[in-house]
Amino acid sequence: ENQRDAMYLQFCRVCHGYKAPRSHHCRKCNRCVMKMDHHCPWINNCCGHLNHAYFTTFLFLAPLGCIHAAFIFIMTMYTQLYDRISFGWSTVKLDMSAPRRLHYPIMPFGVAAFAATLFALGLALGTTIAVGMLFFIQLKVIMRNKTSIEVWIEEKAKDRIQYYQTGEEFIFPYDLCSRWENFKQVFTWSGVPAGNGIEWPINEKCHQYTLTIEQLKQKADKRVRSVQYRVVEDYNGACCPIRMGLITFFRMPCTEEPRIKLTKGEIIFATRGTKWWMYGDKVLDEEQTKAGVRIRGWFPRRCVEKCLYDSANNTAASEEKKDK
């Protein structure tokens, strides 16, 4: 087993550039993050191995604080409006000028204060729902000892196996088959997460580099299944391209991934996309390729057209599928 692990380690070092298992490079922070879950713009930092528990705790406490604030807002509005409502025999009148009952001390509560309180109540309830949903999503991921990125990798692994009909079974290596054991990998009494961020407890049917090798297979599969396109219309790389049409504007991808600038005549290898947008790598010249430059991102589908001579690539993909 030690010899096998050494072979896998050497293989991953050569093919993956000494990247530790479960780590990913963040384009925003420009660094490699251990057990990266995602980059959060609200804390201006990545959520990873060292702060995953703190981030999840923040997602739990933030809705509680908003619920407390919403309760205060509701009671304030109820108290102030109750003092200003007069019930007649046939009508109910509301006078916001002054309360019928005076309470000392009392803060001014006119129309402007009522509108501000109502707006703050809406924000508190909206934050409770939105952040509460994020908390349950994170908790669900932690109970399976995964990250948001690894959930996506697992889905792509199942898609790859189904596409090539290989008959293999992908087992996520870091799921310890116990929710409590998975939970303890993130949350500890000391606040310091378990492990060193490089080596992890794994399923007995897997090894330390099962997920890394699956990522390498997916990268190779992406190159095989990519489609070549030629740019037929210039695109300035704007996130909200109104001149590309209203449908393209409203159907833009909701992601932090970059948009790339296109010039008519350039070649793009598209790897994925939607009905109105595509994601791919721009074909660069030899000097840029040797320098390690890579330009990839989203662009409107209407700016490109499929190359007619891409049939060779499609043939290679079909042959690859038969081989696998």
Side-chain angles (χ1 to χ4, degrees), residues 12-204:
C12 294
R13 283 176 175 175
V14 173
C15 299
H16 224 57
Y18 292 93
K19 186 178 78 69
R22 309 188 78 177
S23 63
H24 298 275
H25 181 79
C26 177
R27 290 192 297 265
K28 299 289 185 180
C29 300
N30 194 25
R31 57 178 176 148
C32 194
V33 181
M34 295 186 299
K35 193 188 174 183
M36 178 177 174
D37 186 88
H38 68 286
H39 180 88
C40 180
W42 306 111
I43 63 175
N44 193 28
N45 198 0
C46 282
C47 177
H49 172 61
L50 296 178
N51 63 348
H52 200 176
Y54 296 107
F55 179 78
T56 308
T57 305
F58 162 73
L59 294 182
F60 173 71
L61 296 178
L64 292 183
C66 291
I67 292 174
H68 178 246
F71 179 77
I72 294 175
F73 292 145
I74 292 174
M75 294 305 299
T76 301
M77 294 173 62
Y78 171 78
T79 303
Q80 295 294 333
L81 292 178
Y82 179 79
D83 289 343
R84 288 169 169 81
I85 295 177
S86 59
F87 299 91
W89 289 104
S90 59
T91 60
V92 178
K93 296 181 180 180
L94 177 62
D95 184 10
M96 294 295 293
S97 59
R100 293 184 295 107
R101 306 175 186 86
L102 293 178
H103 303 282
Y104 298 98
I106 188 170
M107 296 181 62
F109 193 82
V111 177
F114 174 79
T117 305
L118 187 62
F119 177 73
L121 175 62
L123 287 180
L125 295 178
T127 303
T128 301
I129 296 174
V131 180
M133 291 177 61
L134 291 177
F135 168 73
F136 282 109
I137 292 174
Q138 283 293 319
L139 193 62
K140 181 180 178 181
V141 169
I142 290 174
M143 290 296 184
R144 297 156 63 189
N145 202 9
K146 300 178 182 179
T147 64
S148 301
I149 295 177
E150 290 170 350
V151 170
W152 174 238
I153 293 174
E154 185 179 26
E155 291 180 359
K156 290 193 295 183
K158 296 178 181 178
D159 177 70
R160 181 185 63 82
I161 294 173
Q162 183 179 6
Y163 179 80
Y164 290 109
Q165 298 295 322
T166 59
E168 60 182 304
E169 180 185 7
F170 176 75
I171 300 176
F172 186 74
Y174 306 113
D175 189 355
L176 303 180
C177 300
S178 170
R179 292 185 178 182
W180 176 242
E181 293 296 328
N182 293 336
F183 183 83
K184 290 193 299 182
Q185 290 296 309
V186 177
F187 292 93
T188 59
W189 288 110
S190 63
V192 180
N196 57 8
I198 299 178
E199 296 181 354
W200 310 89
I202 56 174
N203 190 297
E204 58 182 8

Side-chain angles (χ1 to χ4, degrees), residues 234-277:
D234 293 342
Y235 169 56
N236 60 3
C239 292
C240 305
I242 299 179
R243 69 181 188 87
M244 292 294 172
L246 291 178
I247 299 181
T248 303
F249 174 78
F250 286 109
R251 293 295 185 90
M252 59 183 177
C254 298
T255 175
E256 293 184 357
E257 293 176 313
R259 276 66 165 171
I260 57 175
K261 183 179 179 180
L262 301 179
T263 304
K264 188 175 181 179
E266 292 180 327
I267 302 299
I268 298 283
F269 277 104
T271 56
R272 53 191 166 100
T274 63
K275 186 177 180 180
W276 304 101
W277 288 80

